[in-house]
Amino acid sequence: MARPRTPLLSRDRIVTAALALADAEGLDALSTRRLATELSVSGPSLYNHFATKDELLDAVVDTVMGEVDLSMFDAPDDWRTALRDWARSYRAALAAHPSIVPVLAQGPGRRPNALRLADAVFGCLVDAGWPRGQATRIGALMRYFVTGSALASFAAGFPGDAGLYAEEYPHLGEAHLVAEHRSSIDEGAFETGLEALLDGLDLRYRRTVSPG
C-alpha cells in the first residue's frame, strides 16, 4: 500500500498549524479554508477533530498556556517570588504569541492548561495564608495585569513626526523616539508595574494576613 503524501491529521498537527498561522498573520487569517490549505487537506476533514472554530481557538490558546512555567509553585519558599517568576513566564508566552491575547478574555473555560495555571496560583496564595476570597481576586488581578501588558503589541504608539508635538504638547517633545525603544519601554513598564503591584500586595499581606 502506498504511503500517504501528507501526514495524517491529528489534533496536535492542526493546533500547531493554526498557532503558526495566527503568529504569522493574526487571528483574522485563521479560517477553516485557510488552515485546510496550509495542511493540504479538505476543509471538512478538520471537523473530524474540532467541531467549531471556537473549539479550535480554545485548543490554540491552551497550547500557549502550556508554555507558561508553573514549576515555581511546586514548593514555593515565598509567594511573592513565585508570583513574580510566574508573571514573567506568563508574559513571555504571550509576547511570543500576541495574536491570541484577545481570546484570553473569555477566561479559562475548560482549557486544561489554563485551569492548571489558575489552580497553581490560587493554591500558592491560599497556602501562604491569604483568605480564599482574596486569593481569587489576587489571581484575577495578576492575570489582568499580565494580559493587559501584552496588549502593548497592538498599540500603534506615538507618531514619528517630531513636529506634531513641538508647540501644543511640549512635554512630549521626544515622543517620536518611542518607537525606536519600544521593546525596552514595554519591558521596563511591565517590570515597574509588577514590582509596584507586588509591593502593594506585600503591604496588604503584612497588615491583614500576617500582622507584626
Side-chain angles (χ1 to χ4, degrees), residues 79-80 83-84 142 193-202:
W79 63 270
R80 306 160 194 80
L83 283 187
R84 180 182 292 106
M142 294 297 293
L194 178 60
E195 292 306 320
L197 183 56
L198 291 174
D199 284 348
L201 290 174
D202 183 55

Side-chain angles (χ1 to χ4, degrees), residues 107-206:
R110 295 177 178 274
R111 303 166 187 162
N113 288 324
L115 289 169
R116 277 191 285 271
L117 183 154
D119 180 71
V121 173
F122 180 77
C124 172
L125 293 167
V126 170
D127 289 346
W130 285 98
R132 296 175 69 87
Q134 290 192 49
T136 299
R137 290 190 288 273
I138 292 169
L141 171 64
M142 294 297 293
R143 290 195 300 275
Y144 298 158
F145 170 70
V146 176
T147 55
S149 72
L151 289 174
S153 302
F154 295 91
F158 292 97
D161 180 7
L164 174 66
Y165 313 98
E167 296 182 3
E168 294 189 50
Y169 313 102
H171 299 296
L172 298 180
E174 296 185 353
H176 63 289
L177 302 176
V178 167
E180 300 176 17
H181 308 282
R182 174 73 172 274
S183 179
S184 62
I185 290 173
D186 287 349
E187 181 69 25
F190 172 78
E191 289 295 332
T192 299
L194 178 60
E195 292 306 320
L197 183 56
L198 291 174
D199 284 348
L201 290 174
D202 183 55
L203 182 60
R204 187 183 185 96
Y205 182 83
R206 293 176 186 276

Side-chain angles (χ1 to χ4, degrees), residues 16 18 24 40 56 61-62 64 91 105 109 128 147 150 160-161 170-171 212:
T16 298
S40 300
L56 171 60
V61 171
D62 204 49
V64 175
R91 180 179 182 274
T147 55
D161 180 7
H171 299 296

Side-chain angles (χ1 to χ4, degrees), residues 69-116:
D69 183 15
L70 300 178
S71 63
M72 67 286 295
F73 296 119
D74 291 342
D77 293 326
D78 177 72
W79 63 270
R80 306 160 194 80
T81 302
L83 283 187
R84 180 182 292 106
D85 292 344
W86 163 72
R88 288 170 175 164
S89 178
Y90 193 4
R91 180 179 182 274
L94 299 187
H97 309 285
S99 293
I100 62 90
V101 173
V103 188
L104 289 175
Q106 299 175 7
R110 295 177 178 274
R111 303 166 187 162
N113 288 324
L115 289 169
R116 277 191 285 271

